[in-house]
Amino acid sequence: MNWEYNTIWFDQIDSHKRFIWDSKKKITQTPVLTGVEYLFLWHYKVTEGNFNEIPEANDCRYLDITFSNIKDFSGIKRFTDLKRLHVDYCLKLESDRGLADLKDTLEWLHIEQSKKLTSINEISVLSNLKVLSLNNCGPIESLNFIQLLPHLIDFRFVGTNILSGDLTPLIEHPNLKSVGFLDKRHYNFKSKAIDAIFKEKANEDSFKDYVYKGEYRTFKYK
């Protein structure tokens, strides 16, 4: 079960390819991350507020950073083959600066519970993105930026306010097949209306690029 699937059973991944680094647990020396493809950083504290202090993991394709004090993504270019990035409960994150360095590799970006984050300037240049989640983040001016993400298939912004209220870019996107958001009074479409539109699209193209594997909506993005 690899990083391309929505749900990953990590017990099916070779143990030498994954590493959990919990900074609340004492580590006597910096571990060697060569060969690690799935890296989890929990409670990782940095002095500069970015990725420059995080040890290099050139083989890493899946990075999960949770409860860190990062403020931006400067230095993340050191993860040269990163395909999927999860950022959870990084409450001090305030800028997407540095993400543009992943424009040639990153296909999946998930950011959740970063209320200070309102910048999408560099997210908008991640032209290879297939899956984007900006859940419970700071307000975003508009959704126009998704037109710059031609390969986007799945987009979530649950709990994140779109200030313009215009959800038309979701409908107009040529490849978007699934969205998730909470209804707001100033939005020009309700979630049920958007769902109906995407169901109609699904009947038209059979979701050719959206391949389901198994149960519990475990699907793989081609």
Side-chain angles (χ1 to χ4, degrees):
M1 186 64 65
N2 63 33
W3 65 270
E4 296 172 289
Y5 286 79
N6 180 53
T7 302
I8 301 174
W9 283 272
F10 289 99
D11 58 350
Q12 297 181 17
I13 298 172
D14 292 342
S15 59
H16 71 276
K17 290 184 178 181
R18 52 186 169 86
F19 186 83
I20 297 175
W21 187 341
D22 189 344
S23 293
K24 283 194 171 182
K25 298 180 180 179
K26 284 189 177 181
I27 297 179
T28 56
Q29 60 184 13
T30 302
V32 176
L33 300 178
T34 303
V36 173
E37 295 183 13
Y38 298 81
L39 177 60
F40 298 81
L41 298 175
W42 295 345
H43 307 101
Y44 199 95
K45 304 301 180 184
V46 294
T47 57
E48 296 181 6
N50 56 44
F51 283 75
N52 286 317
E53 300 170 50
I54 296 175
E56 292 185 23
N58 292 331
D59 299 310
C60 183
R61 306 183 77 185
Y62 179 110
L63 174 62
D64 184 306
I65 182 165
T66 303
F67 294 116
S68 174
N69 64 340
I70 57 168
K71 294 182 178 180
D72 62 45
F73 297 93
S74 299
I76 201 170
K77 63 182 178 181
R78 296 153 71 244
F79 291 81
T80 56
D81 197 31
L82 195 62
K83 300 290 186 183
R84 181 165 171 171
L85 174 61
H86 284 238
V87 181
D88 297 304
Y89 290 91
C90 292
L91 305 182
K92 294 188 176 182
L93 181 65
E94 59 188 20
S95 172
D96 64 349
R97 183 170 59 249
L99 279 180
D101 291 323
L102 301 178
K103 62 183 177 64
D104 295 327
T105 60
L106 199 65
E107 297 184 14
W108 187 308
L109 175 62
H110 172 102
I111 302 177
E112 183 154 356
Q113 296 294 345
S114 293
K115 288 291 188 180
K116 292 184 178 181
L117 179 67
T118 60
S119 170
I120 53 171
N121 294 329
E122 298 204 17
I123 292 176
S124 65
V125 305
L126 300 174
S127 57
N128 288 318
L129 274 187
K130 296 179 180 179
V131 181
L132 175 62
S133 296
L134 297 172
N135 295 329
N136 295 303
C137 293
I140 297 173
E141 185 62 38
S142 80
L143 292 179
N144 291 337
F145 76 98
I146 68 171
Q147 299 300 329
L148 302 174
L149 308 175
H151 302 293
L152 195 63
I153 296 173
D154 190 300
F155 179 37
R156 310 277 154 178
F157 52 100
V158 177
T160 297
N161 186 21
I162 308 304
L163 297 177
S164 71
D166 183 13
L167 304 189
T168 306
L170 300 175
I171 302 167
E172 294 180 342
H173 193 283
N175 293 311
L176 196 60
K177 292 175 169 55
S178 180
V179 299
F181 63 93
L182 298 179
D183 289 335
K184 291 187 178 294
R185 185 176 298 177
H186 68 290
Y187 287 177
N188 59 348
F189 287 94
K190 299 295 184 183
S191 57
K192 287 186 177 180
I194 295 289
D195 286 344
I197 292 171
F198 277 101
K199 284 181 181 179
E200 184 176 347
K201 282 186 177 183
N203 292 331
E204 292 174 356
D205 61 20
S206 300
F207 282 71
K208 293 178 181 178
D209 296 319
Y210 210 43
V211 181
Y212 288 83
K213 299 282 185 179
E215 299 177 347
Y216 305 110
R217 286 186 60 80
T218 300
F219 47 82
K220 180 178 179 181
Y221 296 90
K222 277 189 174 181

